[in-house]
Amino acid sequence: MSRAQSSPAGADGQVVVVTGASGGVGRATARAFGARGARVALVARGEEGLTRAADDVRDAGGTALPLDIDVSDHTAVDAAAERIERELGPIAVWVNVAFSTVFAPVNEVRAEEFRRATEVTYLGFVHGTLAALRHMEPRDAGTIVQVGSALAYRGIPLQAAYCAAKHAIQGFHESLRCELLHAKSGVSVTMVQLPGLNTPQFTWVKSRLPHNPRPVAPVYQPEVAGRGVLYAADHPRRREYWVGGSTVGTLLGDKFAPGLLDRYLARTAFKGQQADHDRAPSQPDNLWKPADQQHDYGAHGEFDDEATKRSYQLWASHHHGLLAALGTAAAAAAGAAAVARTVRR
């Protein structure tokens, strides 16, 4: 892999690690950090996608260190952390994104496929977190961002392997956060729950569905998620962030009416997770080996025509102080107007 290049003059030089950085959310996140002049270590399996993702970071103005690593291998992740510290400097932010899964009903997923999806998606986050903690805790500084999903709370049909792994990450995150709070640690951990996204996973995920898998609508571009991750890394004291109105709706629905949501998903989620076209026999499958070893899929999937580039909910989440102040000012103005009308009478 290419050697890291020096940071441009005036860059903030923050050292950031992003797993799953060769495509989708990981790639958009790595590029967003690169645009701030960060020194970004990109961890992923596919050589071609990883190389092009590193180019994206450099083109944006950052430093890139691509590392061809399977996050299910804890020894390799530990060695990567050592190399990153040696070549780029102290790790300030570690973002866990990498995952792999299977689209199929539960009884069509093999035991070894559940194990593999768990090793990459859940244990990959554990391995990354442990590697980050080994370096951050002695310095009493650093931020770990776990990239989750609305499915970390709400299981849906055809994605049992993914939902189970994301639920496990949620529990792991909550336990770790409590421990860090107890220790009054300077290390922070936060989680970002994402909506349906237009990423290449629907092109390369292992699937036994009759039609090509697709994200649940509404669909957001991965850059929306990247902005959410970047903000969370800058403001990690909040336990978690929700990205997208659909995420908010799903999580609130699961909290207050889970039984109704079960029935709604039973009726809608089978068709809602399949595109109109059949899955091509030649499509890749990245469960056991990378799909982007010799081909770069980029950050976007095949749903650009319906994916939105913005989320008003995300903006509101990042500006809740301003909105509260505006609400207070509006209430005060309304009160003053009411008093003025009373005085005139």
Side-chain angles (χ1 to χ4, degrees):
M1 284 296 168
S2 308
R3 294 178 60 83
Q5 297 178 351
S6 59
S7 295
D12 70 15
Q14 185 183 53
V15 177
V16 179
V17 182
V18 181
T19 73
S22 64
V25 173
R27 183 144 173 185
T29 299
R31 187 165 51 216
F33 275 108
R36 302 203 312 188
R39 288 171 279 176
V40 185
L42 302 98
V43 175
R45 294 181 299 159
E47 185 170 359
E48 183 62 21
L50 194 52
T51 299
R52 299 282 78 81
D55 290 341
D56 283 354
V57 170
R58 296 179 186 122
D59 290 344
T63 297
L65 177 63
L67 299 168
D68 192 346
I69 290 169
D70 188 330
V71 295
S72 69
D73 181 349
H74 70 90
T75 303
V77 175
D78 286 342
E82 295 289 344
R83 180 179 171 187
I84 293 161
E85 291 256 330
R86 188 170 60 250
E87 297 193 23
L88 297 182
I91 297 167
V93 178
W94 188 296
V95 184
N96 286 308
V97 185
F99 76 94
S100 190
T101 190
V102 182
F103 271 82
V106 167
N107 61 4
E108 294 182 21
V109 183
R110 297 166 187 153
E112 62 269 22
E113 294 170 343
F114 273 116
R115 183 180 302 110
R116 173 61 177 167
T118 303
E119 288 172 346
V120 175
T121 309
Y122 169 54
L123 290 180
F125 277 52
V126 172
H127 298 158
T129 299
L130 292 176
L133 289 172
R134 288 188 189 100
H135 293 277
M136 292 176 177
E137 286 192 312
R139 295 191 287 263
D140 198 33
T143 296
I144 301 167
V145 182
Q146 316 288 20
V147 175
S149 166
L151 307 188
Y153 288 95
R154 174 67 244 185
I156 65 174
L158 307 179
Q159 292 204 56
Y162 181 82
C163 293
K166 289 297 185 182
H167 275 63
I169 292 164
Q170 183 68 30
F172 174 73
H173 162 67
E174 291 169 351
S175 294
L176 174 59
R177 186 170 188 273
C178 291
E179 292 172 6
L180 293 172
L181 290 171
H182 172 78
K184 295 180 172 57
S185 175
V187 178
S188 298
V189 60
T190 188
M191 194 161 177
V192 182
Q193 313 295 15
L194 301 180
L197 295 159
N198 175 35
T199 70
Q201 68 147 311
F202 303 98
T203 300
W204 66 32
V205 71
K206 186 174 189 66
S207 174
R208 294 194 174 94
L209 304 180
H211 300 291
N212 207 62
R214 56 153 293 142
V216 176
V219 182
Y220 296 83
Q221 293 290 21
E223 288 76 16
V224 174
R227 292 196 296 274
V229 171
L230 200 71
Y231 187 87
D234 290 342
H235 305 83
R237 292 299 177 182
R238 194 190 299 186
R239 70 190 305 270
E240 69 178 19
Y241 290 86
W242 298 355
V243 175
S246 57
T247 298
V248 175
T250 299
L251 297 184
L252 292 179
D254 186 62
K255 182 175 180 65
F256 294 108
L260 290 175
L261 195 53
D262 288 343
R263 289 167 173 77
Y264 172 77
L265 291 168
R267 291 197 309 270
T268 64
F270 281 75
K271 183 177 180 181
Q273 292 185 87
Q274 297 184 69
D276 294 334
H277 58 280
D278 293 344
R279 182 175 175 84
S282 60
Q283 281 188 246
D285 162 8
N286 82 331
L287 183 64
W288 301 100
K289 58 185 180 180
D292 52 354
Q293 188 67 23
Q294 298 180 337
H295 176 76
D296 176 33
Y297 288 86
H300 290 202
E302 59 182 66
F303 302 97
D304 276 329
D305 57 340
E306 64 173 289
T308 179
K309 298 178 181 178
R310 57 185 58 87
S311 165
Y312 297 111
Q313 175 278 332
L314 180 64
W315 185 93
S317 174
H318 294 176
H319 296 84
H320 57 275
L322 173 62
L323 292 176
L326 291 174
T328 301
V339 169
R341 286 196 299 271
T342 301
V343 170
R344 285 198 298 271
R345 291 191 189 124

